Amino acid sequence: MSAGVDVARPHVTLVLGAGGPVGQAFHAGVLRALFERCGWDPRAADVIVGTSAGAHVGALLRAGWDSYRLLQRATRPSPATMAATPPPSRPRGRWPASAAYLRGALARPWSARLGPFVAALLPEGAHEGAHLSDAFHRLFAGHWPHRPLWIPAVHVDSGARVVFGRADAPHVDVATAVRCSSAVPGLRQPVAVGAARYVDGGVASPTHADLALQAAPTATARRRTVVVLSPLSCFTPLRLLLRWELRPIVRRGIDVLVFEPDREIGAAMGWNPLDGARAAAVADAAYRATSRRLERGDGTAAVRLLVGT
């Protein structure tokens, strides 16, 4: 064990799921409530896994934004933040987006997965998506944060997952990784990294919670906690998928805290995660619902799992 490691403090992996501007608002509300009720600063997470909307929030946390600033951003969005679909930057591209994936799926149908199949089948989007990464170019100036930030995306021509920020992934800057993970099929263009093209990480999984198993060495003496924020769990199939991804984590004896939309938050969200006009109401509902949950008794357990005893 290296000197200076506080074994009393749990090793926390923060998993921030997909969900568009509405999902970012959900993250902001939940994280602020966790800070106020439990004293846990999400910037202290040992590893952050952020997919699509979660990639935006995770990158802001690694840039030093606190939960109050995230909540202010969600409840007082700028016109640029609310514009989920800016004017097209070019005519709609090739259709289907990836004939290569479709050919592979026809040859080996047992290996095809629904999300990557749909992403390959849809036309390329007309929106370039460059506006999504402008802020991160300024915040990181081409550097990757020192503390682990993992951003999943999907290789549109093979359907394979790539996790930017890990040693086994192509080297890109944070802005490019966020843009790749946010390239919604049919809406935004796939993002080219060399000869490869990437689309939204949510195509493969809304959370990629399974990555939490790889987020800490098994030999660590510290307690391990995984905190999952899953905005898209308001849709039952995606809620069930998350439960399936969490099963091996729970079997390893790792503590898991899951935050999903309740009925009140779901009503504020509506059916379209890209509707930025709903962000303020969603952030407020998520903050209030999470605060109530932590006040009712979950708060003591959450403190123990997040900051130790």
Side-chain angles (χ1 to χ4, degrees), residues 15-16 48-55 144 149-155 160-166 169 177-183 198-211:
V15 177
L16 300 167
I48 296 177
V49 179
T51 302
S52 196
W144 201 268
L149 171 65
W150 294 358
I151 299 180
V154 171
H155 188 291
R161 174 174 71 183
V162 63
V163 184
F164 294 112
R166 298 199 318 185
V178 170
R179 189 174 160 201
C180 288
S181 192
S182 306
Y198 297 98
V199 294
D200 197 313
V203 162
S205 166
T207 62
H208 296 272
D210 63 293
L211 290 172

Side-chain angles (χ1 to χ4, degrees), residues 8-32:
R9 184 177 68 84
H11 181 287
V12 179
T13 300
L14 174 61
V15 177
L16 300 167
V22 165
Q24 293 183 49
F26 173 82
H27 292 322
V30 173
L31 292 175
R32 185 58 189 172

Side-chain angles (χ1 to χ4, degrees), residues 71-166:
L71 188 61
Q72 290 294 101
R73 175 177 179 264
T75 54
R76 300 176 186 174
S78 66
T81 302
M82 294 177 67
T85 54
S89 50
R90 70 169 192 184
R92 198 173 284 276
R94 73 181 80 169
W95 190 353
S98 177
Y101 184 88
L102 297 178
R103 286 194 298 267
L106 289 173
R108 299 178 301 279
W110 58 87
S111 67
R113 296 182 61 195
L114 179 60
F117 182 86
V118 172
L121 185 62
L122 288 171
E124 288 186 346
H127 302 280
E128 189 177 69
H131 68 290
L132 299 173
S133 58
D134 289 344
F136 300 109
H137 281 300
R138 295 191 297 271
L139 287 170
F140 291 97
H143 301 291
W144 201 268
H146 295 297
R147 306 192 71 188
L149 171 65
W150 294 358
I151 299 180
V154 171
H155 188 291
V156 71
D157 295 312
S158 70
R161 174 174 71 183
V162 63
V163 184
F164 294 112
R166 298 199 318 185

Side-chain angles (χ1 to χ4, degrees), residues 200-292:
D200 197 313
V203 162
S205 166
T207 62
H208 296 272
D210 63 293
L211 290 172
L213 275 177
Q214 307 167 30
T218 55
T220 182
R222 295 165 62 189
R223 184 179 197 139
R224 297 176 65 186
T225 299
V226 176
V227 183
V228 182
L229 278 61
S230 179
L232 294 182
S233 284
C234 53
F235 301 108
T236 300
L238 300 183
R239 185 186 293 259
L240 295 176
L241 174 60
L242 175 59
R243 296 296 180 276
W244 181 81
E245 290 183 348
L246 291 175
R247 285 177 61 189
I249 297 173
V250 174
R251 283 201 298 265
R252 290 282 188 91
I254 299 171
D255 296 304
V256 177
L257 281 172
V258 179
F259 295 90
E260 300 167 302
D262 61 9
R263 189 170 301 176
E264 176 188 355
I265 300 170
M269 284 181 162
W271 62 272
N272 180 11
L274 298 178
D275 185 0
R278 291 180 173 268
V282 171
D284 181 63
Y287 170 78
R288 289 187 286 104
T290 305
S291 296
R292 287 195 302 268

